[in-house]
Amino acid sequence: MRKSTKDIIIIGFALFAMFFGAGNLIFPPFLGNMVGDKYILGIIGFICTGVGLPLLAIIATTKGDGTFETMASKIGPKFALIFASTLFIAIGPMLAIPRTAATTYELTLSPLLPGLTPFISMVIYFGINLIFVLKESSIIDTIGKYLTPMLILILSFIIIKGIVFPIGNIVHTNVTSVLSFSFIEGYQTMDALAGLLFASVITNSLKSKNYSKDEILPMTLKSSAIAIVGLTFIYGGLTFLGAQTSGFEIANLSKTGLLLLLSRSILGNLGSTIIGIAIGLACLTTSIGLLTAGSSFFEKISNGKLPYKVNAVVISIISIIIGCLGVDNIVKISNPILNVLYPVTITLIVTTLANKYIRNIKAVRVGVYTSLLFGLLQVIPSIKLNFIPLGKLGFAWLVPTVVSILIGHLVFYTPKQNSNNL
């Protein structure tokens, strides 16, 4: 096998593992249950944000030196610092880390130990996190290497068996605007945000293998195909299985409860226990990685004033408090936050990828701040933006952002615009 082919496969699996978050598995079945017989549109919308955007984020960041800071610094150094910090808080102590803990409690610990309270579960969970985060150990990496393939095999078996032997009839539901609904539901994976921050891992890996700058982007594109196929199969398959429950009377069932219902219906009680343990351990490896990255990030930007170990403890304490709220409540908290962060993220990604055509950096800055402004406005309950095109679908920010970039090009037009501005 040629070295480049081998590296493409390795990087492809690395991209898959990077975005294959165990906590994300609760969203596709819920989406399928909501959209019912329109599950194909649901899969397309969810894949766009749950798979497509994260990989575009990697590619956009790779066009520079592989770091989000370089891409965002074109908007302004303060913007880069504030937005990067906000992203780390969102995918760290505010949302993603406590969500892994809450998912572990609801899917793994509560079914096995019914008397265990959420608070005790969180304390134990983050105590284990801190053992690995504060003292470097290869044990968790070893577990992760074997755990991810095992979880993929179990999920693949569930999906294939569920396709061959359906657990229920797919019925029509009353959900409207399925494509836009599913697109926004994909925000919950938070992988596009993570992709901006973790793209440097892929870039540095390729550099260490002695690939030139011109070779890095094509290698990333080819590797992305592997990740796209894997993630599409898992997310699409789980959405389809969720659609098979659209006729069930499960109005009060939580997102984690729905995933347990699927696994129990297809694999039996023992099977649901096995998948619960596997997902719990996978959540642990994810949270350890996020906790480590977040603690290091805040130590770096504070020039050591916020020590790594102190950051880890503080993030853990915050995550314990938020984790006790439960998965569904964390998702409710995350909705407005992600509806602000994603418009800015999408604008940054698209304008970076289209830098040959969008060359005026001042126009891009106007577009980015417009997306931020309308992202904020659309999550304020008292402000109705339905009069704006696409506003009723949750995209009130899109048309104003595009218009502001066009106006910015006219206002800040210069005869010779540097094509390397982005």
Short mmCIF file of all heavy atoms in Angstrom, two decimals, residues 227-250:
data_model
loop_
_atom_site.label_atom_id
_atom_site.label_comp_id
_atom_site.label_asym_id
_atom_site.label_seq_id
_atom_site.Cartn_x
_atom_site.Cartn_y
_atom_site.Cartn_z
N ALA A 227 -14.53 9.67 6.64
CA ALA A 227 -15.30 10.12 7.80
C ALA A 227 -16.75 10.36 7.42
O ALA A 227 -17.67 10.02 8.20
CB ALA A 227 -14.68 11.40 8.36
N ILE A 228 -16.99 10.91 6.22
CA ILE A 228 -18.36 11.20 5.78
C ILE A 228 -19.17 9.91 5.67
O ILE A 228 -20.31 9.84 6.14
CB ILE A 228 -18.33 11.93 4.41
CG1 ILE A 228 -17.85 13.37 4.60
CG2 ILE A 228 -19.72 11.92 3.77
CD1 ILE A 228 -17.63 14.11 3.30
N VAL A 229 -18.57 8.89 5.08
CA VAL A 229 -19.27 7.61 4.91
C VAL A 229 -19.63 7.00 6.27
O VAL A 229 -20.76 6.58 6.51
CB VAL A 229 -18.42 6.62 4.09
CG1 VAL A 229 -19.05 5.23 4.11
CG2 VAL A 229 -18.29 7.10 2.65
N GLY A 230 -18.65 6.98 7.18
CA GLY A 230 -18.87 6.38 8.50
C GLY A 230 -19.92 7.11 9.31
O GLY A 230 -20.84 6.50 9.86
N LEU A 231 -19.81 8.43 9.38
CA LEU A 231 -20.74 9.22 10.18
C LEU A 231 -22.14 9.21 9.57
O LEU A 231 -23.14 9.17 10.30
CB LEU A 231 -20.23 10.66 10.30
CG LEU A 231 -18.97 10.84 11.16
CD1 LEU A 231 -18.39 12.24 10.96
CD2 LEU A 231 -19.27 10.60 12.63
N THR A 232 -22.23 9.27 8.24
CA THR A 232 -23.52 9.23 7.58
C THR A 232 -24.25 7.91 7.87
O THR A 232 -25.46 7.89 8.11
CB THR A 232 -23.37 9.41 6.05
OG1 THR A 232 -22.77 10.70 5.80
CG2 THR A 232 -24.71 9.35 5.35
N PHE A 233 -23.50 6.81 7.87
CA PHE A 233 -24.10 5.52 8.15
C PHE A 233 -24.65 5.47 9.57
O PHE A 233 -25.78 5.03 9.80
CB PHE A 233 -23.08 4.39 7.95
CG PHE A 233 -23.57 3.04 8.39
CD1 PHE A 233 -24.53 2.36 7.65
CD2 PHE A 233 -23.09 2.45 9.55
CE1 PHE A 233 -25.02 1.13 8.06
CE2 PHE A 233 -23.56 1.21 9.97
CZ PHE A 233 -24.52 0.55 9.21
N ILE A 234 -23.85 5.91 10.54
CA ILE A 234 -24.28 5.85 11.95
C ILE A 234 -25.45 6.80 12.21
O ILE A 234 -26.50 6.39 12.73
CB ILE A 234 -23.11 6.20 12.89
CG1 ILE A 234 -21.98 5.18 12.78
CG2 ILE A 234 -23.61 6.30 14.34
CD1 ILE A 234 -22.33 3.79 13.25
N TYR A 235 -25.30 8.08 11.85
CA TYR A 235 -26.35 9.06 12.12
C TYR A 235 -27.60 8.76 11.29
O TYR A 235 -28.73 8.85 11.79
CB TYR A 235 -25.85 10.47 11.81
CG TYR A 235 -24.80 10.99 12.77
CD1 TYR A 235 -23.92 12.00 12.40
CD2 TYR A 235 -24.69 10.48 14.06
CE1 TYR A 235 -22.96 12.48 13.27
CE2 TYR A 235 -23.74 10.96 14.94
CZ TYR A 235 -22.87 11.96 14.55
OH TYR A 235 -21.92 12.44 15.41
N GLY A 236 -27.41 8.43 10.00
CA GLY A 236 -28.55 8.13 9.14
C GLY A 236 -29.28 6.89 9.60
O GLY A 236 -30.53 6.86 9.64
N GLY A 237 -28.53 5.85 9.98
CA GLY A 237 -29.15 4.61 10.45
C GLY A 237 -29.94 4.81 11.72
O GLY A 237 -31.06 4.29 11.86
N LEU A 238 -29.40 5.57 12.67
CA LEU A 238 -30.11 5.81 13.93
C LEU A 238 -31.35 6.68 13.72
O LEU A 238 -32.35 6.52 14.42
CB LEU A 238 -29.17 6.46 14.95
CG LEU A 238 -28.07 5.56 15.52
CD1 LEU A 238 -27.13 6.35 16.42
CD2 LEU A 238 -28.67 4.38 16.29
N THR A 239 -31.27 7.61 12.77
CA THR A 239 -32.45 8.42 12.44
C THR A 239 -33.56 7.54 11.88
O THR A 239 -34.73 7.68 12.23
CB THR A 239 -32.09 9.52 11.43
OG1 THR A 239 -31.04 10.34 11.96
CG2 THR A 239 -33.30 10.40 11.12
N PHE A 240 -33.17 6.61 11.01
CA PHE A 240 -34.15 5.68 10.42
C PHE A 240 -34.79 4.81 11.50
O PHE A 240 -36.00 4.58 11.50
CB PHE A 240 -33.47 4.81 9.37
CG PHE A 240 -34.38 3.78 8.75
CD1 PHE A 240 -35.43 4.16 7.94
CD2 PHE A 240 -34.17 2.43 8.99
CE1 PHE A 240 -36.28 3.21 7.38
CE2 PHE A 240 -35.00 1.47 8.43
CZ PHE A 240 -36.07 1.87 7.62
N LEU A 241 -33.98 4.33 12.44
CA LEU A 241 -34.52 3.52 13.53
C LEU A 241 -35.46 4.35 14.40
O LEU A 241 -36.50 3.88 14.85
CB LEU A 241 -33.40 2.95 14.39
CG LEU A 241 -32.44 1.95 13.72
CD1 LEU A 241 -31.52 1.34 14.76
CD2 LEU A 241 -33.20 0.86 12.99
N GLY A 242 -35.08 5.60 14.63
CA GLY A 242 -35.95 6.49 15.41
C GLY A 242 -37.28 6.71 14.73
O GLY A 242 -38.33 6.80 15.39
N ALA A 243 -37.27 6.76 13.39
CA ALA A 243 -38.51 6.94 12.64
C ALA A 243 -39.45 5.76 12.85
O ALA A 243 -40.67 5.90 12.77
CB ALA A 243 -38.21 7.12 11.15
N GLN A 244 -38.88 4.58 13.12
CA GLN A 244 -39.70 3.38 13.36
C GLN A 244 -40.47 3.47 14.68
O GLN A 244 -41.36 2.66 14.93
CB GLN A 244 -38.82 2.13 13.35
CG GLN A 244 -38.18 1.83 12.00
CD GLN A 244 -37.27 0.62 12.04
OE1 GLN A 244 -37.23 -0.12 13.02
NE2 GLN A 244 -36.52 0.41 10.97
N THR A 245 -40.12 4.43 15.52
CA THR A 245 -40.85 4.62 16.79
C THR A 245 -41.86 5.75 16.69
O THR A 245 -42.46 6.13 17.70
CB THR A 245 -39.87 4.92 17.95
OG1 THR A 245 -39.29 6.23 17.75
CG2 THR A 245 -38.77 3.89 18.02
N SER A 246 -42.01 6.33 15.49
CA SER A 246 -42.90 7.49 15.34
C SER A 246 -44.35 7.16 15.65
O SER A 246 -45.15 8.06 15.94
CB SER A 246 -42.78 8.07 13.92
OG SER A 246 -43.01 7.07 12.94
N GLY A 247 -44.72 5.88 15.60
CA GLY A 247 -46.08 5.49 15.92
C GLY A 247 -46.27 5.06 17.37
O GLY A 247 -47.37 4.72 17.79
N PHE A 248 -45.18 5.08 18.16
CA PHE A 248 -45.25 4.67 19.56
C PHE A 248 -45.82 5.79 20.43
O PHE A 248 -45.66 6.97 20.13
CB PHE A 248 -43.87 4.28 20.09
CG PHE A 248 -43.27 3.04 19.47
CD1 PHE A 248 -43.87 2.42 18.39
CD2 PHE A 248 -42.09 2.51 19.97
CE1 PHE A 248 -43.32 1.28 17.82
CE2 PHE A 248 -41.52 1.37 19.40
CZ PHE A 248 -42.14 0.76 18.33
N GLU A 249 -46.42 5.43 21.53
CA GLU A 249 -46.91 6.41 22.52
C GLU A 249 -45.79 6.67 23.52
O GLU A 249 -45.72 6.06 24.58
CB GLU A 249 -48.16 5.89 23.23
CG GLU A 249 -49.37 5.74 22.33
CD GLU A 249 -49.90 7.08 21.84
OE1 GLU A 249 -49.67 8.09 22.54
OE2 GLU A 249 -50.50 7.12 20.76
N ILE A 250 -44.89 7.56 23.17
CA ILE A 250 -43.71 7.82 24.03
C ILE A 250 -43.51 9.32 24.22
O ILE A 250 -42.39 9.82 24.20
CB ILE A 250 -42.43 7.19 23.41
CG1 ILE A 250 -42.26 7.62 21.95
CG2 ILE A 250 -42.48 5.68 23.50
CD1 ILE A 250 -40.96 7.16 21.32
#
